[in-house]
Amino acid sequence: MSLQKLKVAFLGPLASFSHQAAAESFAKTSAELHPHVCFADAFAAVQQQEADYAVIPCENSTNGSVVQTLDLLADRSDLYKDVKVCGEYYLTVHHCLLVHKGSYPGGLPSYDGKITKLYTHPQAWGQCDKFLAKYFKGVERQDVSSTSKGAEIVSKEEPGTDERGGAIASRFAAEYHGVDALEENIEDRADNTTRFLILRNILADRTAGLEFEQPNVPNGGDAQLHHEATHKTLVSFSIDHSSPGALANALLIFKAHGLNLTSINTRPSLKRAWQYIFFVECSRTPCAENNDAVLNALNDLRGVTESCRDLGTWKDQLGVSII
Amino acid sequence: MSLQKLKVAFLGPLASFSHQAAAESFAKTSAELHPHVCFADAFAAVQQQEADYAVIPCENSTNGSVVQTLDLLADRSDLYKDVKVCGEYYLTVHHCLLVHKGSYPGGLPSYDGKITKLYTHPQAWGQCDKFLAKYFKGVERQDVSSTSKGAEIVSKEEPGTDERGGAIASRFAAEYHGVDALEENIEDRADNTTRFLILRNILADRTAGLEFEQPNVPNGGDAQLHHEATHKTLVSFSIDHSSPGALANALLIFKAHGLNLTSINTRPSLKRAWQYIFFVECSRTPCAENNDAVLNALNDLRGVTESCRDLGTWKDQLGVSII
């Protein structure tokens, strides 16, 4: 086994929420984190084994599924055939109001009303509506390409100027760009959470035998704990559109093998309009009786689907909500 | 019945693809078409009976579902409780290269290479990749807020200037803004189609008894044809997450009543993270035996779901693809 550090791809820019998710999920390792400008680049890095892992957003508890990720997992052109999900990470989205370092050492109570412009990503304004309405009504707002970019702008302000800016971004971005958090947790909704998938290449020797949670410790971890944890599996399939009830039949196969459904998504097949690729995620608590449940379900699914692909199995990090 | 013209709400701006869909689907009537700046405004106009109908995009054959429309149909705050789907319209997305009126009366063969700037909505560049690579490699591109806006910019060009612009937009936008189509059907993919839903208020006297296809002709149309056409029904529901197999059980109910599934979508419930509202669309060819199939299925669904809502039944305009 190589002694090189693990390489982890994330969706850029630096200090983005994806960067934070990668840093936190690989916190116990000395992994190198590499930004990628688009989802496809991060997938390609894993397929070509330039990265050992990729950390990719797949779903937000308020906004729903991330379709770019589903489209890459659909892999209609067989570009990422060795990329599978091996883990997940849940990141709660907390926003802070950030200001140039040293502007208000006393935090929000010492704020003198002098901020004339606010910066953040368009989506974040709506997530902090109440706070902004209370303290920053009428203050000019400028959209920027990422929350991290807003923190960067504020970090580069000239101290002498009359124009003072504020940025809405994460504490992670504040630390990265060296700015102060005037106030934390300014979001309206405390439970806004993004789920990230962790991908690896199933042919890569460096990672194939490792538990994701401790990717730099071969055969590490507590075997008892692993046995009791719930496992999730993601499967994609397409069905024969001339056969009524094909989707219901496919879902019954999961039930027959004791696999609980946890999510279902569809994307256009792009072969014919109004036909779909289905993504079904299911869970089970491993035990002697269901060791082969996923394998058997996939075998049965191949009998009722046009195509069917196992996209990986990993340990549930949250406690699943079954459907 | 009032003699006032029908009012139809669409998603603006003027000459958008939604405007075109509204104009084409109400072509046989003398309806007034009214632009609305956002999806919620169009829904509200129907709920408040300021509009008789609304024409709303719900799905694109390449990009998938329109989540804003699903979120409004989910109606988590009971704002649009009388709004139901009563029809659908399929619009194939064709793009043209538009130029100032009279610039090139001979069309593309007379083009002299003088266009220095192109305008369109960010999504349209990717849809016309091959044409642009062949004829407009290296020409400056400017993103605008809608394809219609690009056509408007080109229509207002001063004829004398050296700077000539081209816009990528629909023939409908060309006619609306009075510009010429240098070339038509420049899109890479000929089958890129958007499906629009047509909404009405079920309590509105003016429209409640009318067939959508001829909304200004009470009791009009050919009864025989209506009887044979496939009908689609949209249902939303949420399920008890403590009961394994709840989704499979719900889908089996459709099958048991002879209703073929045609699409399934999910959106976050926003009550609890990772729980969902399901949207199931099903179809049947009406006959004496299945007259009450939708009613009976809804009754059964209420037994296995937490909440369940009938979002309307309408005539299939395409020929369904069942799942």
Side-chain angles (χ1 to χ4, degrees):
Chain A
M1 175 150 309
S2 161
L3 290 172
Q4 267 197 307
K5 282 186 179 176
L6 287 173
K7 286 186 182 168
V8 178
F10 67 89
L11 196 72
L14 291 164
S16 65
F17 282 105
S18 289
H19 190 179
Q20 182 178 355
E24 292 181 6
S25 51
F26 285 85
K28 291 180 194 161
T29 78
S30 54
E32 286 175 3
L33 309 180
H34 295 275
H36 288 259
V37 293
C38 69
F39 289 77
D41 283 0
F43 269 70
V46 173
Q47 176 62 35
Q48 289 149 24
Q49 300 192 29
E50 293 161 10
D52 296 303
Y53 296 96
V55 178
I56 303 287
C58 74
E59 189 177 5
N60 175 272
S61 62
T62 308
N63 298 325
S65 298
V66 178
V67 296
Q68 296 98 317
T69 297
L70 293 177
D71 279 341
L72 289 162
L73 288 170
D75 194 21
R76 299 175 184 91
S77 307
D78 267 341
L79 295 174
Y80 315 113
K81 63 189 175 59
D82 306 315
V83 176
K84 280 199 185 186
V85 183
C86 66
E88 64 179 10
Y89 188 76
Y90 289 87
L91 181 76
T92 308
V93 175
H94 292 299
H95 290 298
C96 304
L97 179 69
L98 307 181
V99 291
H100 193 84
K101 198 161 191 65
S103 304
Y104 297 101
L108 196 65
S110 73
Y111 173 58
D112 59 3
K114 283 192 178 160
I115 287 175
T116 54
K117 201 167 182 180
L118 293 172
Y119 303 89
T120 199
H121 186 271
Q123 210 165 48
W125 301 121
Q127 293 174 355
C128 303
D129 233 9
K130 288 179 196 161
F131 177 84
L132 293 172
K134 188 167 175 188
Y135 295 103
F136 293 91
K137 206 171 176 178
V139 171
E140 184 187 348
R141 296 178 179 191
Q142 185 167 323
D143 291 350
V144 287
S145 57
S146 67
T147 54
S148 173
K149 183 75 188 168
E152 185 190 344
I153 291 170
V154 166
S155 76
K156 291 181 175 168
E157 267 179 354
E158 297 293 331
T161 169
D162 267 0
E163 293 263 312
R164 284 195 190 169
I168 295 168
S170 65
R171 164 148 286 285
F172 185 81
E175 285 164 13
Y176 185 85
H177 290 293
V179 296
D180 287 344
L182 197 62
E183 183 77 351
E184 299 200 39
N185 302 328
I186 62 169
E187 65 278 358
D188 294 342
R189 204 181 167 99
D191 67 350
N192 186 22
T193 302
T194 300
R195 178 158 78 118
F196 292 81
L197 295 178
I198 300 168
L199 309 175
R200 75 173 159 207
N201 186 315
I202 48 164
L203 300 183
D205 290 337
R206 273 162 62 87
T207 57
L210 309 182
E211 283 286 341
F212 159 68
E213 286 79 357
Q214 293 171 293
N216 54 352
V217 185
N219 307 316
D222 179 336
Q224 181 61 28
L225 181 72
H226 291 179
H227 199 70
E228 284 172 2
T230 301
H231 285 198
K232 286 181 186 163
T233 299
L234 184 62
V235 177
S236 68
F237 58 83
S238 61
I239 59 181
D240 176 2
H241 289 263
S242 65
S243 158
L247 177 62
N249 291 338
L251 297 186
L252 280 178
I253 287 172
F254 290 90
K255 191 180 177 184
H257 290 281
L259 300 169
N260 292 320
L261 302 188
T262 54
S263 84
I264 182 167
N265 279 286
T266 62
R267 292 293 298 153
S269 72
L270 300 189
K271 284 185 185 165
R272 213 182 127 193
W274 324 117
Q275 298 192 351
Y276 306 95
I277 296 173
F278 295 86
F279 295 87
V280 170
E281 193 186 69
C282 60
S283 75
R284 69 183 174 111
T285 306
C287 63
E289 290 71 40
N290 70 11
N291 252 342
D292 298 326
V294 170
L295 204 66
N296 293 336
L298 283 162
N299 276 336
D300 288 359
L301 270 176
R302 288 192 180 97
V304 301
T305 57
E306 276 190 344
S307 65
C308 172
R309 184 164 163 184
D310 171 13
L311 288 166
T313 295
W314 66 94
K315 286 206 291 179
D316 174 38
Q317 297 299 318
L318 191 69
V320 293
S321 179
I322 56 181
I323 58 174
Chain B
M1 176 149 310
S2 158
L3 290 173
Q4 266 195 306
K5 281 187 180 176
L6 287 173
K7 287 185 182 168
V8 178
F10 67 88
L11 196 70
L14 290 164
S16 65
F17 282 105
S18 289
H19 189 178
Q20 182 178 355
E24 292 181 6
S25 51
F26 285 86
K28 292 178 191 162
T29 77
S30 54
E32 287 174 3
L33 309 180
H34 295 275
H36 288 260
V37 293
C38 69
F39 289 78
D41 284 0
F43 269 71
V46 173
Q47 176 62 35
Q48 288 150 25
Q49 300 191 30
E50 292 161 12
D52 295 304
Y53 296 96
V55 178
I56 303 288
C58 73
E59 188 177 5
N60 175 273
S61 61
T62 308
N63 298 325
S65 298
V66 178
V67 295
Q68 296 98 317
T69 297
L70 293 177
D71 279 340
L72 288 161
L73 289 170
D75 194 21
R76 299 176 185 91
S77 307
D78 265 342
L79 295 173
Y80 316 113
K81 62 190 176 59
D82 306 316
V83 176
K84 281 200 186 187
V85 183
C86 67
E88 65 179 8
Y89 187 75
Y90 290 86
L91 181 75
T92 307
V93 175
H94 292 299
H95 290 297
C96 305
L97 179 69
L98 307 181
V99 292
H100 194 85
K101 199 161 190 67
S103 305
Y104 297 103
L108 196 63
S110 73
Y111 173 57
D112 58 4
K114 283 194 179 159
I115 287 176
T116 55
K117 201 167 182 179
L118 293 171
Y119 303 88
T120 199
H121 186 271
Q123 211 164 48
W125 301 120
Q127 292 174 355
C128 304
D129 234 8
K130 288 178 194 161
F131 177 83
L132 292 173
K134 188 167 177 187
Y135 296 102
F136 293 91
K137 206 171 176 176
V139 172
E140 183 187 348
R141 296 178 179 191
Q142 184 166 322
D143 291 351
V144 288
S145 58
S146 67
T147 54
S148 173
K149 183 73 190 173
E152 186 190 345
I153 289 170
V154 167
S155 78
K156 290 181 175 167
E157 268 179 355
E158 296 294 330
T161 169
D162 268 359
E163 293 264 312
R164 282 197 191 168
I168 295 169
S170 65
R171 164 149 286 285
F172 186 81
E175 284 165 13
Y176 185 85
H177 291 293
V179 296
D180 286 346
L182 197 61
E183 183 78 350
E184 299 201 39
N185 303 327
I186 63 169
E187 65 278 358
D188 294 342
R189 203 181 168 103
D191 66 352
N192 186 23
T193 303
T194 299
R195 179 159 78 119
F196 292 81
L197 295 178
I198 300 167
L199 309 175
R200 74 173 160 207
N201 187 315
I202 50 165
L203 301 183
D205 290 339
R206 273 163 63 87
T207 57
L210 308 182
E211 283 287 341
F212 160 67
E213 286 78 0
Q214 293 171 295
N216 56 351
V217 185
N219 308 316
D222 179 336
Q224 182 62 27
L225 180 72
H226 292 178
H227 199 67
E228 284 171 5
T230 301
H231 284 199
K232 286 182 188 163
T233 298
L234 183 63
V235 176
S236 67
F237 58 83
S238 61
I239 58 179
D240 177 1
H241 289 262
S242 65
S243 158
L247 177 62
N249 290 338
L251 298 187
L252 280 178
I253 287 171
F254 290 89
K255 191 180 176 183
H257 290 282
L259 300 168
N260 292 320
L261 303 189
T262 53
S263 82
I264 181 166
N265 280 287
T266 61
R267 290 294 298 151
S269 72
L270 300 189
K271 284 186 184 164
R272 212 182 129 193
W274 324 118
Q275 298 193 351
Y276 306 96
I277 296 173
F278 295 86
F279 296 87
V280 170
E281 193 186 71
C282 61
S283 75
R284 69 186 173 109
T285 306
C287 63
E289 289 73 39
N290 70 11
N291 252 340
D292 298 325
V294 170
L295 205 65
N296 293 336
L298 283 161
N299 276 337
D300 289 359
L301 270 177
R302 287 191 181 97
V304 301
T305 57
E306 277 190 346
S307 66
C308 172
R309 184 163 161 184
D310 171 13
L311 287 166
T313 295
W314 65 96
K315 285 206 290 179
D316 174 38
Q317 297 300 318
L318 191 68
V320 291
S321 179
I322 55 179
I323 59 173

